[in-house]
Amino acid sequence: MMKAIFFILLIIPVVHMTYAQQVCNNIPPIAIAGNDTIINNNQTSCTTPLPITITLNGSNSFDPDGTLVSYLWTGLNGITSPNAAITNVTGLLPGTYAFILRVTDNNGAFTHDTVRISVVPGNRPLIA
């Protein structure tokens, strides 16, 4: 008597699922607060100098791989619109002031730049 042995070959495909990790290659934005500036107040008398108003301009800031979503100026309390690219600062008397611009891009990256403004009376020598 002959016995038959049957083998059933069952091929089950193996599916490998690979989940790619999302890598964020965000390039930080570039903050440009402007050039450091010396302002001659042209005071011609010995009276108390009047405060002046200046404009800060961070509109040349950019993001190489996205868009800028916020601006923030910090420094003296006289900043009229701290969340705008261009703003005014009031109440500056002779002295040196630093204003910091922080820009943030659409992916949350941020960077800073500082601009220094020196207000000097025009009839007095500038001493470093």
Side-chain angles (χ1 to χ4, degrees):
M1 184 161 151
M2 200 171 186
K3 292 186 181 180
I5 300 176
F6 292 100
F7 290 100
I8 298 175
L9 181 59
L10 182 62
I11 299 175
I12 300 174
V14 178
V15 178
H16 293 281
M17 297 191 76
T18 304
Y19 295 97
Q21 180 180 3
Q22 184 176 2
V23 178
C24 184
N25 293 324
N26 186 28
I27 299 171
I30 308 297
I32 302 174
N35 295 327
D36 293 350
T37 304
I38 297 174
I39 300 170
N40 289 319
N41 201 4
N42 291 329
Q43 181 182 354
T44 58
S45 68
C46 291
T47 61
T48 304
L50 296 174
I52 64 170
T53 299
I54 63 165
T55 300
L56 299 175
N57 188 343
S59 64
N60 287 330
S61 303
F62 65 96
D63 185 23
D65 65 343
T67 57
L68 295 177
V69 295
S70 71
Y71 297 84
L72 178 62
W73 289 98
T74 56
L76 189 68
N77 289 335
I79 300 172
T80 57
S81 300
N83 296 316
I86 300 172
T87 187
N88 291 322
V89 180
T90 60
L92 296 182
L93 294 170
T96 300
Y97 305 90
F99 299 97
I100 301 168
L101 172 63
R102 174 182 164 146
V103 294
T104 305
D105 71 10
N106 57 317
N107 287 315
F110 62 89
T111 190
H112 300 87
D113 189 29
T114 302
V115 62
R116 287 174 181 74
I117 307 294
S118 296
V119 179
V120 296
N123 62 345
R124 307 224 176 161
L126 176 63
I127 300 173

